[in-house]
Amino acid sequence: MEIRNIANIAHVDHGKTTLIDALLKAGGAYHNREQPAERVMDSNDQERERGITIFAKNAALTWKGGKINIVDTPGHADFGSEVERVLRSVDATLLLVDAFEGPMPQTRFVLGKALEIGLKVLVVINKIDKPMARPEKVLDLTLDLFDSLGATEEQLDFPYIYTIAREGIAVRDLSDPHVDITPLFDFIMEHVPPAAANIGGGFLMQPATLDYDNYVGRLAVGRVYQGRMRGNTPVVVLDSDGAPRAAKTSRVYTFDGLRRVEAKEIFAGDIVAIAGIPDIYVGETIADSEDAEPLPAIRVDPPTLAMTFLINNSPFAGRDGKFVTSRQVFARLVKEAETNVGLRVERDATSDTFRVSGRGEMQLAVLIESMRREDYELQVSRPEVIMKKVEGKIYEPIESAVISVPEDMTGRIIEAVNMRRGMIGEMHTAGDRTIMEFDIPTRGLLGFRSAVLLMTHGEGTIYHTFDHYGPHRGDMGRRTAGSLISGETGKAIGFALGNLQERGRLIVNPGDDVYEGMIVGENNKGNDLVVNPLKGKQLTNMRASGSDEAVKLTPVAPMTLDAAIEYIQDDEYVEVTPLHIRLRKKILHKAERKVFDRRAKFV
């Protein structure tokens, strides 16, 4: 049976996972009585809540006697390391492009990686049913993108097809009748080369991702590059330096639809899963001999952002979580770094703090959210950009970004981009919206998503991806609002909060537990202010119509983890527990903060 291995790549929200839904339904991946969920490949809770793909996943279909292995990849730039490692295990990619938006920053990133490896790229223009769709123009823009990325003559002559993924429709030409997704299957079989089936040599397989099964333990998922192997077989694992260690497989699996199916034997060319090697890592080589040459190590772009993780040492520590010690937090971070090659974890030798580096705020926020759902308590600092020093000069990460906003709000967005040291490139209008392309330091993007939503009343969208390291662009403004800091410990009282809300936005409700040094709101005047949210109304026998009015509090929007990470300053922490997200000062007591600030002036 011929095997074709293909990855599905695109910018976030261009329809990758929806397209795979249509392929799975048409390819007979479900039994007659099964009712598959929408975006079935997004099986993780956070993927469903955020509406994005975070982890790469495998599926397999049989079509006209051949097998098609499909790998669904993330579309968000922060999870680019997932894309980089799975591209090594396929022979071609389906590049989805929105028929209205066209190529976006992440489109450039994933396409660049595919062309660099030398993969065949099949272009899919999706969402051609949009009222403002412009498929012919988007096809021209995609060709321009190929050209700007240095594609070869052969790569520039890419095949393309049009789809409406949500309705399960594909057409070779825009004038063709809309029937079903069958033309896309034929398109794949026609243009994706069959995988090389070199079964005669020694066994070679490299894990691109890791999975876990409660019954068989850790699973290595990746492509078999050479040879064949059965389960319950002795093997040799070679690390990136070629150092061997003995191991033994317990079971081997192939994929059928969304299911992992135990197989008697696995062969070269197929994407498989191997169980029985508890210490296997991404990028290592599984072989049948110590003399085998290890496969090239999987390399990913370096992290651009770092955060400090530490145990929760607030007055409310240990109330909610099960895992609260530094040993437990560090063990969890190390476990994450084993499977997520885009993360780096370093431990401070002199304190119980850990520096975690990644590709962006969302990648780190997903990790923190996963930990709190697993009953961990911890605190995290404000994200810090990783700088480089080249010939005595400071270089910082520069990102390529695209903002889409209503046309009448363009001016304030341009002003905000300039304040954050961004440089506007192309601008064009589509309908009643303006789309702006620009490059901006990663520093300037910290908290910018929330600012864009605020300025555009929720109508603006921003996408960005790492582009290059460039010379440092100088200082930029910080958060203009100060913090309202609790000077007492206890339960917040509505009367006190009613008086405080005149000073700025509150982030706590009456009855919430607060402690000294905890942030209860923001101060519009720009400086930090210590307040008493526990102060009740003075009780007397005197009554007056003015002083006895009911307290009217503005509803408080819950502080999400992503918003909290964007909001805090350098001297603040986000306290994360299974039940609460709180903001606090690093130094809780007012007198100690004053001493620290005084000393800092003389350093």
Side-chain angles (χ1 to χ4, degrees):
M1 178 190 290
E2 286 187 340
I3 298 174
R4 288 169 170 79
N5 299 315
I6 190 164
N8 203 15
I9 61 175
H11 183 81
V12 64
D13 201 32
H14 278 198
K16 297 184 316 303
T17 308
T18 306
L19 184 69
I20 290 186
D21 279 354
L23 290 172
L24 289 171
K25 289 174 186 175
Y30 306 109
H31 297 302
N32 292 335
R33 295 184 180 180
E34 279 188 288
Q35 294 295 326
E38 187 178 351
R39 300 197 334 269
V40 68
M41 294 287 278
D42 286 347
S43 53
N44 181 273
D45 288 343
Q46 288 199 63
E47 289 179 320
R48 291 196 170 279
E49 291 167 15
R50 294 174 181 267
I52 61 172
T53 302
I54 296 174
F55 306 105
K57 301 175 195 68
N58 298 78
L61 298 168
T62 302
W63 186 259
K64 293 184 178 177
K67 181 179 182 180
I68 303 174
N69 283 315
I70 304 175
V71 186
D72 189 27
T73 64
H76 197 283
D78 287 13
F79 309 103
S81 61
E82 292 274 331
V83 180
E84 292 174 76
R85 60 192 185 188
V86 300
L87 287 182
R88 288 273 298 276
S89 63
V90 299
D91 299 306
T93 66
L94 283 179
L95 176 69
L96 264 74
V97 185
D98 187 289
F100 167 64
E101 294 181 349
M104 299 288 273
Q106 182 70 358
T107 314
R108 170 179 287 272
F109 170 78
V110 293
L111 177 59
K113 293 296 179 185
L115 295 177
E116 184 182 319
I117 296 171
L119 296 177
K120 186 174 182 66
V121 180
L122 286 61
V123 174
V124 179
I125 308 297
N126 191 29
K127 304 184 182 181
I128 58 172
D129 59 328
K130 275 190 171 182
M132 298 177 63
R134 41 178 190 151
E136 295 96 340
K137 176 64 176 176
V138 165
L139 190 60
D140 291 339
L141 293 173
T142 305
L143 179 61
D144 292 341
L145 178 60
F146 271 74
D147 188 44
S148 68
L149 290 171
T152 63
E153 288 293 330
E154 184 181 355
Q155 289 171 330
L156 283 170
D157 189 23
F158 56 81
Y160 59 89
I161 194 169
Y162 304 98
T163 62
I164 307 173
R166 187 175 292 278
E167 296 179 15
I169 289 171
V171 292
R172 294 288 188 107
D173 190 273
L174 290 172
S175 59
D176 291 347
H178 292 184
V179 181
D180 55 26
I181 203 74
T182 302
L184 181 57
F185 278 108
D186 296 333
F187 180 70
I188 292 172
M189 298 296 285
E190 179 184 339
H191 293 289
V192 178
N198 181 13
I199 3 178
F203 183 80
L204 287 176
M205 183 265 196
Q206 186 176 53
T209 59
L210 298 179
D211 202 352
Y212 187 83
D213 184 279
N214 290 330
Y215 183 61
V216 297
R218 183 180 289 194
L219 291 158
V221 181
R223 177 172 179 168
V224 180
Y225 289 91
Q226 185 175 288
R228 59 206 301 170
M229 190 183 69
R230 291 177 176 270
N232 198 28
T233 303
V235 294
V236 175
V237 178
L238 307 168
D239 64 19
S240 56
D241 299 321
R245 65 180 187 274
K248 186 177 182 179
T249 65
S250 60
R251 301 187 180 194
V252 293
Y253 301 88
T254 59
F255 291 92
D256 180 15
L258 295 171
R259 295 175 290 276
R260 200 170 51 233
V261 180
E262 187 173 356
K264 291 183 179 179
E265 193 172 23
I266 52 177
F267 302 90
D270 203 0
I271 294 177
V272 303
I274 295 179
I277 311 176
D279 58 349
I280 189 69
Y281 297 126
V282 167
E284 293 185 319
T285 301
I286 301 175
D288 55 7
S289 167
E290 290 187 9
D291 301 327
E293 189 72 25
L295 294 164
I298 295 176
R299 306 291 181 191
V300 297
D301 288 340
T304 58
L305 215 60
M307 292 175 69
T308 299
F309 285 51
L310 67 159
I311 60 170
N312 184 11
N313 57 11
S314 82
F316 296 162
R319 287 188 177 187
D320 305 334
K322 185 188 299 182
F323 306 109
V324 298
T325 66
S326 60
R327 176 183 59 82
Q328 291 168 328
V329 172
F330 183 61
R332 176 64 178 82
L333 293 174
V334 170
K335 180 182 177 183
E336 183 71 22
E338 289 175 359
T339 59
N340 191 340
V341 295
L343 283 180
R344 302 284 186 275
V345 178
E346 304 165 81
R347 183 166 194 166
D348 192 317
T350 60
S351 65
D352 287 332
T353 61
F354 319 107
R355 182 179 170 87
V356 182
S357 308
R359 297 284 283 273
E361 284 177 286
M362 184 174 288
Q363 184 189 26
L364 296 171
V366 166
L367 168 60
I368 297 166
E369 181 63 30
S370 296
M371 291 179 69
R372 77 182 287 241
R373 294 183 185 201
E374 295 166 14
D375 284 338
Y376 284 84
E377 281 194 18
L378 65 152
Q379 295 179 139
V380 295
S381 70
R382 184 175 190 261
E384 169 194 349
V385 174
I386 299 173
M387 304 288 186
K388 282 185 178 179
K389 206 165 189 178
V390 181
E391 297 179 353
K393 294 182 179 179
I394 301 296
Y395 281 67
E396 66 178 330
I398 306 295
E399 309 216 12
S400 172
V402 172
I403 286 183
S404 173
V405 296
E407 193 173 359
D408 59 342
M409 299 177 181
T410 305
R412 66 182 74 176
I413 295 296
I414 292 175
E415 184 180 354
V417 169
N418 290 335
M419 288 176 62
R420 292 169 179 262
R421 304 293 181 183
M423 299 178 66
I424 299 287
E426 293 186 12
M427 289 177 57
H428 62 272
T429 301
D432 61 346
R433 298 182 73 84
T434 298
I435 299 172
M436 292 174 277
E437 299 179 17
F438 58 94
D439 64 69
I440 185 171
T442 301
R443 290 180 299 136
L445 289 170
L446 298 180
F448 193 35
R449 187 181 302 275
S450 297
V452 168
L453 289 173
L454 193 63
M455 285 186 285
T456 61
H457 309 296
E459 295 186 54
T461 58
I462 175 170
Y463 302 108
H464 57 89
T465 187
F466 171 76
D467 191 64
H468 67 282
Y469 268 86
H472 192 273
R473 294 190 179 179
D475 295 333
M476 62 180 66
R478 299 289 184 89
R479 190 182 81 199
T480 55
S483 298
L484 297 176
I485 309 162
S486 175
E488 305 290 339
T489 300
K491 288 188 180 294
I493 294 175
F495 178 79
L497 297 180
N499 293 327
L500 292 178
Q501 72 179 359
E502 298 174 3
R503 297 182 177 274
R505 181 171 64 97
L506 297 177
I507 59 174
V508 296
N509 286 298
D512 286 352
D513 290 319
V514 299
Y515 54 80
E516 182 181 1
M518 179 176 157
I519 298 170
V520 297
E522 64 180 17
N523 184 17
N524 291 335
K525 290 191 175 180
N527 61 307
D528 289 345
L529 182 66
V530 177
V531 298
N532 182 5
L534 278 59
K535 185 178 179 182
K537 182 178 180 181
Q538 187 174 3
L539 300 177
T540 70
N541 289 328
M542 303 298 294
R543 294 291 181 264
S545 59
S547 60
D548 288 334
E549 289 178 357
V551 175
K552 294 180 181 179
L553 292 174
T554 303
V556 175
M559 178 64 76
T560 64
L561 178 61
D562 297 59
I565 292 172
E566 287 187 353
Y567 181 80
I568 57 172
Q569 298 281 42
D570 293 335
D571 64 338
E572 298 167 353
Y573 283 140
V574 179
E575 178 189 351
V576 182
T577 77
L579 301 179
H580 297 95
I581 294 172
R582 303 183 181 99
L583 308 184
R584 53 159 287 184
K585 288 292 181 181
K586 289 183 178 180
I587 302 174
L588 295 178
H589 302 297
K590 178 181 178 181
E592 293 177 9
R593 287 198 299 272
K594 284 187 175 181
V595 171
F596 179 84
D597 292 341
R598 193 179 300 117
R599 287 177 180 171
K601 290 180 181 178
F602 295 100
V603 174

